[in-house]
Amino acid sequence: MQFRKKPVVIEAIHYDGSDQSYAEACEFATGIYLALQGARTFSIPTLEGDHIASPGDWIIRGVAGELYPCKPEIFAATYDPV
């Protein structure tokens, strides 16, 4: 059996590792603590547990308001700007 992903519009920001980008991620993740993990990485609490966001990753807010990081190559293959 095959399935096609439903078209949904998501919100996302690009994290580049800079202090400003981290501040923007914190603002984007209102009410969620993004714990710094070291050299420009931070932990995002997700529905599947904590995931690490690294420079270059996209931070996505899903349809239920959940947050998760996405590698740039997966993001580019999955999403188009609207």
Side-chain angles (χ1 to χ4, degrees):
M1 202 175 236
Q2 293 184 328
F3 294 87
R4 178 178 309 162
K5 192 174 186 177
K6 292 179 182 179
V8 296
V9 176
I10 54 101
E11 292 182 309
I13 61 166
H14 189 238
Y15 173 63
D16 66 12
S18 69
D19 289 341
Q20 180 177 345
S21 185
Y22 176 70
E24 290 170 357
C26 289
E27 186 175 323
F28 183 73
T30 303
I32 298 174
Y33 179 69
L34 303 179
L36 287 172
Q37 297 293 309
R40 302 290 177 192
T41 64
F42 59 90
S43 177
I44 299 175
T46 74
L47 299 174
E48 295 85 27
D50 291 350
H51 287 219
I52 301 297
S54 302
D57 288 351
W58 286 84
I59 311 304
I60 296 172
R61 181 178 296 122
V63 295
E66 75 282 11
L67 295 176
Y68 53 94
C70 183
K71 294 297 179 197
E73 58 275 3
I74 301 299
F75 189 88
T78 307
Y79 299 100
D80 289 319
V82 293

